[in-house]
Amino acid sequence: MSPFLKYLDFKELDAATLPRVLNQVDLALINTNYALEAGLEPTQDALIIEGAESPYVNYLVARPDNEDSEAVQELARALRSDAVRQFILEKYKGAVVPAF
């Protein structure tokens, strides 16, 4: 038998239940928001954390008929501001990474 052959048993569970079953599994992939809600500290408890280069960042989207509206443009500017970047860095301490 190959030493590289592993028999793994994967179970698909609802993302919100993952923090509650950590004591019953060897490994879980948990979205940051659920980890934070469960009192986990992703920068301390995680084996791997996605960085700013992740393709799974959040996007601000708008309908074509209002994408150029002043309100949407103002929101976009605010979300990319230094103040929001600083808030993310201070509040989430590396668990959430500003990707802008």
Side-chain angles (χ1 to χ4, degrees):
M1 181 157 141
S2 168
F4 301 107
L5 183 61
K6 303 291 181 200
Y7 294 95
L8 303 175
D9 186 21
F10 290 90
K11 302 282 185 194
E12 184 176 342
L13 301 173
D14 182 66
T17 65
L18 291 171
R20 294 193 306 260
V21 299
L22 276 178
N23 63 343
Q24 301 169 40
V25 299
D26 295 319
L27 178 73
L29 301 174
I30 304 175
N31 300 63
T32 302
N33 58 313
Y34 293 116
L36 291 171
E37 286 177 18
L40 296 170
E41 287 192 45
T43 55
Q44 308 254 326
D45 300 323
L47 296 174
I48 298 171
I49 271 190
E50 292 176 312
E53 72 284 349
S54 172
Y56 304 107
V57 298
N58 293 319
Y59 291 95
L60 173 63
V61 297
R63 294 186 322 263
D65 64 322
N66 75 349
E67 67 183 316
D68 294 323
S69 74
E70 183 55 36
V72 171
Q73 294 305 311
E74 187 175 329
L75 177 58
R77 283 190 297 275
L79 289 173
R80 291 189 306 258
S81 70
D82 287 336
V84 168
R85 176 185 296 278
Q86 197 60 35
F87 171 82
I88 291 169
L89 293 172
E90 290 174 12
K91 169 92 174 159
Y92 298 107
K93 299 175 179 66
V96 175
V97 179
F100 55 93

